[in-house]
């Protein structure tokens, strides 16, 4: 059993899209911080199982669940399984997301719908089930000041327009006001809701942008801090935002991007 001194001890977290990249790193970090972790995946059980094994190796509890977050019945079943296994849900990492890039004039309705359904509707469905469960279960002052915590995984592209990725940028712009609206609506219940907006992080979603020296050099022109981020950078922030150490942070988006949002084109005096 993990130590009860760990910041997320005796809390249960659902992490969507936990089989790779940022979701996998968040799941492992939360597990190492003491949470029981329910790892949602679509199509890649091996990645989710690897993360679950790492959590168990560090003394935590973990289970994997196949669920497409864009499907209401599957999301309801995901929460039911988490509650059946661990009694309740305290934390949601609303992370599952994908890209389907194309020039705007060639973008198909199918590609638009896929990205909006997973990245935005999926966050709506999971946040709704999480808040329903927080309310059903009631306060647990022995584990957290908050009734529950939700982190929406956004992107620097909630504010940086992105040619060739209009569906993705629109979904992340939507996540911004979804997060703020549900934070405003449920703050009085002590449901704490925030977003993490990563910049370029080394994950499978953008491997072409960093997995050759030429590509990485090009990408670093967009990053004043001159380092491509790692999934673990996001995992550490997720733990902090789920812990009572950040109890007064509510309805906020934390950019974690090595300065990508600092208009790096002006680095050299414009
Ligand atoms: C995207 C990545 C991209 C990064 C910075 C992320 O939201 O998923 O593909 O590298 O933003 O542009």
């Amino acid at each position: 059993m993990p130590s009860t001194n760990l910041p997320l001890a005796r809390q249960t977290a659902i992490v969507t899209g936990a089989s790779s990249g940022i979701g996998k790193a968040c799941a492992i970090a939360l597990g190492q911080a003491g949470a029981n972790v329910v790892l949602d995946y679509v199509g890649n059980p091996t990645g989710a199982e690897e993360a679950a094994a790492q959590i168990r190796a560090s003394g935590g509890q973990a289970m994997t669940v196949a669920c497409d977050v864009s499907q209401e019945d599957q999301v309801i079943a995901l929460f039911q399984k988490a509650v059946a296994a661990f009694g309740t849900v305290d934390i949601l990492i609303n992370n599952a997301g994908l890209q389907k890039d194309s020039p705007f004039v060639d973008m198909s309705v199918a590609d638009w719908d896929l990205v909006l359904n997973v990245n935005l509707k999926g966050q709506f469905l999971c946040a709704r089930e999480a808040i329903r469960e927080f309310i059903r279960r009631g306060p647990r002052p022995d584990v957290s000041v908050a009734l529950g915590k939700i982190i929406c995984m956004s992107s620097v592209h909630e504010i940086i327009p992105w040619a060739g990725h209009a569906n993705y940028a629109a979904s992340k712009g939507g996540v911004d006001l979804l997060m703020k609206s549900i934070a405003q609506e449920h703050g009085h219940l002590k449901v704490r809701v925030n977003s993490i907006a990563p910049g370029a992080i080394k994950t499978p979603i953008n491997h072409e942008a960093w997995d050759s020296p030429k590509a990485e050099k090009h990408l670093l022109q967009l990053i004043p801090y001159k380092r491509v981020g790692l999934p673990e950078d996001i995992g550490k922030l997720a733990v902090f935002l789920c812990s009572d150490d950040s109890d007064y942070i509510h309805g906020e988006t934390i950019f974690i991007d090595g300065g990508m949002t600092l208009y790096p084109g002006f680095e050299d005096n414009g």
Side-chain angles (χ1 to χ4, degrees), residues 99 101 154-157 160 162 165 168 172 198-201 203 205-207 209-210 219 222 260:
Q99 287 180 221
D101 311 328
S154 186
S155 163
V156 289
H157 298 295
I160 301 179
W162 204 10
H165 308 72
Y168 183 83
K172 295 302 185 180
I201 308 297
T203 74
I205 206 172
N206 61 354
H207 68 96
W210 54 264
L219 179 58
L222 296 175
M260 190 176 248

Side-chain angles (χ1 to χ4, degrees), residues 112-128:
W112 174 270
D113 284 347
L114 176 67
V115 171
L116 271 290
N117 282 343
V118 173
N119 295 13
L120 188 54
K121 182 181 174 189
Q123 292 217 17
F124 151 63
L125 289 172
C126 292
R128 192 186 64 175

Side-chain angles (χ1 to χ4, degrees), residues 6-200:
L6 290 170
L8 306 181
R10 290 175 292 125
Q11 299 187 52
T12 295
I14 292 182
V15 182
T16 66
S19 59
S20 74
I22 288 172
K24 187 174 183 180
C26 286
I28 293 167
L30 264 61
Q32 290 175 348
N36 309 315
V37 185
V38 178
L39 299 100
D40 152 81
Y41 67 92
V42 171
N44 178 12
T46 313
E49 276 305 330
E50 274 166 21
Q54 274 198 54
I55 294 167
R56 291 183 196 116
S58 65
Q61 299 195 66
M63 69 185 261
T64 62
V65 177
C67 160
D68 175 349
V69 296
S70 70
Q71 302 300 316
E72 182 180 27
D73 55 341
Q74 295 187 34
V75 171
I76 290 171
L78 168 67
F79 277 77
Q80 283 171 345
K81 285 175 190 162
V83 172
F86 296 117
T88 188
V89 175
D90 303 278
I91 292 165
L92 167 67
I93 309 290
N94 227 347
N95 168 77
L98 46 76
Q99 287 180 221
K100 203 83 173 62
D101 311 328
S102 107
F104 186 66
V105 292
D106 299 328
M107 191 172 283
S108 67
V109 171
D111 287 355
W112 174 270
D113 284 347
L114 176 67
V115 171
L116 271 290
N117 282 343
V118 173
N119 295 13
L120 188 54
K121 182 181 174 189
Q123 292 217 17
F124 151 63
L125 289 172
C126 292
R128 192 186 64 175
E129 285 322 296
I131 295 171
R132 286 176 173 171
E133 171 55 20
F134 300 160
I135 293 168
R136 183 200 67 80
R137 174 254 295 150
R140 299 179 76 207
D142 51 322
V143 298
S144 179
V145 178
L147 185 68
K149 282 97 33 164
I150 297 176
I151 294 183
C152 297
M153 202 56 70
S154 186
S155 163
V156 289
H157 298 295
E158 77 168 41
I159 57 165
I160 301 179
W162 204 10
H165 308 72
N167 48 1
Y168 183 83
S171 74
K172 295 302 185 180
V175 165
D176 179 35
L177 277 178
L178 172 68
M179 179 279 287
K180 287 179 176 147
S181 299
I182 59 183
Q184 189 188 61
E185 189 168 337
H186 302 97
H188 71 105
L189 296 174
K190 291 208 154 296
V191 175
R192 202 155 65 73
V193 190
N194 291 290
S195 284
I196 293 177

